[in-house]
């Protein structure tokens, strides 16, 4: 298998075919954590497609080695229904590892890759960021999702956390398809409006937070959102997007507000580890498990999920009318134990 497009087709393809939401698939492991659990992974990829997602991010940063991550991508590719898009996660310790993952994703016919910056990358100027990004783009033909977020530590170069001038240059790269914009901190939507003005003629521009989805569809015509753990709310986020893009605003907002207790519970959960510079991926696995996904723990090191956090998350989903499993014991082994 190979990429379903050429470099010259990336921007037009994204504009024409990227419509919907890209959720996140986390790895599932065997009970002794000695390897991957293919049945659990396949279950999650197929359920994401049934819930109406455009595609899924095959997430790294979750306890896999590079070799295991490549196998993770292979299992996802074997499991994905026709038309369901897969996105590689280029977040590794070195750029060489990123490119090895990208090359494997190309061979598996992945749709795109979410760009990342290794912890050792310490740019001294906006030009350094552009140079690094261009280097990655020149060494893979994958469509790239540019990622502007405070996590990279680029605040010394611009108060928003990502220099807009760098984004202007990066958006012109031939394989840059979209911009996932989460910089700006409390002013993230103002930052989004600014970069949308600057670069939207070159890439799809979006903020992935589902609480902003109706406003971004209405005011910016945003057609594609990702990547984020939308599966925490079952199929409701894809339903909001479908209704909003069809102009059925009253129905869209009815669905949007229907899971406000779950949204609030997840927001409180995220606030509890604010400043850690990490995502509580075990918490994401638990929320997914409550919605029918495989569940199961991730290989250490990971933040631990305590019983109080589980009770709060479960209560938010229950108050939103989701049909939940009885008790939490099944989460730890997962729905497809191996």
């Amino acid at each position: 298998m190979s990429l379903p497009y050429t470099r010259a087709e990336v921007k037009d393809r994204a504009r024409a075919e990227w419509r919907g939401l890209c959720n996140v698939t986390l790895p599932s492991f065997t009970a002794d954590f000695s390897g991957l659990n293919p049945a659990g992974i396949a279950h999650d990829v197929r359920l994401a497609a049934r819930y109406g997602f455009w595609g899924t991010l095959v997430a790294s940063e979750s306890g896999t080695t590079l070799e295991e991550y490549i196998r993770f991508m292979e299992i996802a590719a074997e499991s994905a229904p026709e038309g369901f898009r897969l996105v590689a996660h280029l977040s590794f310790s070195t750029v060489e590892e990123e490119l090895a993952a990208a090359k494997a994703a190309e061979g598996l016919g992945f749709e795109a890759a979410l760009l990342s910056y290794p912890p050792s990358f310490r740019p001294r100027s906006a030009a350094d960021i552009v140079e690094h990004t261009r280097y990655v783009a020149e060494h893979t033909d994958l469509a790239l999702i540019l990622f502007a977020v405070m996590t990279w530590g680029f605040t010394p170069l611009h108060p928003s956390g990502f220099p807009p001038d760098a984004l202007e240059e990066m958006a012109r790269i031939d394989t840059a398809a979209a911009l996932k914009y989460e910089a700006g901190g409390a002013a993230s939507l103002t930052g989004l409006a600014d970069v949308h003005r600057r670069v939207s003629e070159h890439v799809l521009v979006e903020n992935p937070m589902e609480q902003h989805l109706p406003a971004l569809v209405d005011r910016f015509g945003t057609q594609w959102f990702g990547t984020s753990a939308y599966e925490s709310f079952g199929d409701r986020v894809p339903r909001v997007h479908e209704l909003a893009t069809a102009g059925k605003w009253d129905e869209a907002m009815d669905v949007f507000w229907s899971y406000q207790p779950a949204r609030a519970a997840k927001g409180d959960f995220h606030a509890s580890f604010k400043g850690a510079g990490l995502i509580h991926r075990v918490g994401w696995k638990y929320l997914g498990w409550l919605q029918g996904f495989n569940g199961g723990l991730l290989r250490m090191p990971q933040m631990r999920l305590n019983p109080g956090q589980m009770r709060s998350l479960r209560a938010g989903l229950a108050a939103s009318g989701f049909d939940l499993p009885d008790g939490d014991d099944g989460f730890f082994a997962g729905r497809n134990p191996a």
Side-chain angles (χ1 to χ4, degrees):
M1 190 179 294
S2 60
L3 290 178
Y5 53 80
T6 66
R7 294 179 68 95
E9 295 170 332
V10 164
K11 291 184 184 295
D12 288 342
R13 179 184 175 89
R15 196 79 62 182
E17 299 187 17
W18 290 26
R19 297 181 183 277
L21 293 100
C22 184
N23 83 312
V24 176
T25 297
L26 299 169
S28 290
F29 292 95
T30 58
D32 62 1
F33 299 99
S34 62
L36 295 171
N37 177 350
I41 294 166
H43 172 90
D44 286 352
V45 171
R46 292 169 184 151
L47 185 56
R50 288 201 297 274
Y51 274 169
F53 292 106
W54 165 92
T56 193
L57 174 73
V58 181
S60 59
E61 302 178 350
S62 302
T64 53
T65 65
L66 174 61
E67 292 73 21
E68 286 174 325
Y69 180 73
I70 291 173
R71 177 59 186 143
F72 182 19
M73 289 196 295
E74 291 171 349
I75 297 166
E78 293 161 3
S79 310
E82 184 176 356
F84 188 69
R85 317 297 178 99
L86 298 174
V87 177
H89 191 185
L90 304 186
S91 183
F92 293 92
S93 299
T94 68
V95 69
E96 290 78 17
E97 289 178 322
E98 291 180 28
L99 293 174
K103 188 57 63 177
E106 287 181 24
L108 293 167
F110 269 46
E111 179 69 22
L114 178 64
L115 194 63
S116 183
Y117 297 91
S120 59
F121 176 60
R122 312 306 302 170
R124 297 189 176 186
S125 67
D128 288 346
I129 302 173
V130 175
E131 181 181 0
H132 179 94
T133 305
R134 197 180 301 281
Y135 177 85
V136 173
E138 289 173 349
H139 286 81
T140 177
D141 292 331
L142 282 167
L144 295 178
I145 302 167
L146 308 176
F147 191 8
V149 67
M150 308 293 283
T151 308
W152 308 139
F154 297 166
T155 304
L157 301 178
H158 192 274
S160 72
F162 207 109
D165 290 350
L167 291 173
E168 284 197 67
E169 290 193 54
M170 290 158 55
R172 290 179 169 83
I173 294 172
D174 58 350
T175 53
L179 168 61
K180 178 182 180 181
Y181 188 86
E182 295 184 54
S188 62
L189 292 188
T190 296
L192 178 77
D194 180 44
V195 298
H196 187 276
R197 174 182 60 83
R198 292 170 180 254
V199 308
S200 60
E201 67 178 291
H202 303 294
V203 292
L204 303 179
V205 180
E206 51 93 23
N207 177 289
M209 303 303 178
E210 60 79 29
Q211 65 266 33
H212 302 315
L213 188 155
L216 298 184
V217 170
D218 185 39
R219 301 302 174 180
F220 294 94
T222 307
Q223 66 185 55
W224 179 87
F225 291 83
T227 59
S228 189
Y230 304 122
E231 68 279 357
S232 300
F233 310 121
D235 68 347
R236 295 197 198 179
V237 188
R239 286 167 55 198
V240 171
H241 183 263
E242 181 180 3
L243 290 165
T245 54
K248 299 178 180 179
W249 283 101
D250 290 341
E251 296 171 61
M253 296 312 298
D254 283 346
V255 178
F256 178 84
W257 290 119
S258 74
Y259 60 96
Q260 176 64 14
R263 178 183 293 120
K266 187 176 180 181
D268 289 344
F269 173 63
H270 275 256
S272 72
F273 51 87
K274 182 177 176 61
L278 297 169
I279 294 172
H280 202 311
R281 296 187 185 274
V282 177
W284 280 14
K285 283 278 274 185
Y286 174 67
L287 282 163
W289 176 78
L290 289 172
Q291 297 288 1
F293 288 86
N294 187 65
L297 295 172
L298 297 171
R299 189 183 283 155
M300 292 292 281
Q302 297 288 335
M303 286 186 278
R304 294 175 185 267
L305 186 65
N306 66 53
Q309 292 171 319
M310 296 170 81
R311 283 193 298 271
S312 296
L313 292 170
R314 174 183 279 273
L317 267 64
S320 299
F322 290 107
D323 184 17
L324 306 178
D326 294 331
D328 289 328
D329 289 346
F331 163 69
F332 298 97
R335 297 178 185 276
N336 299 272

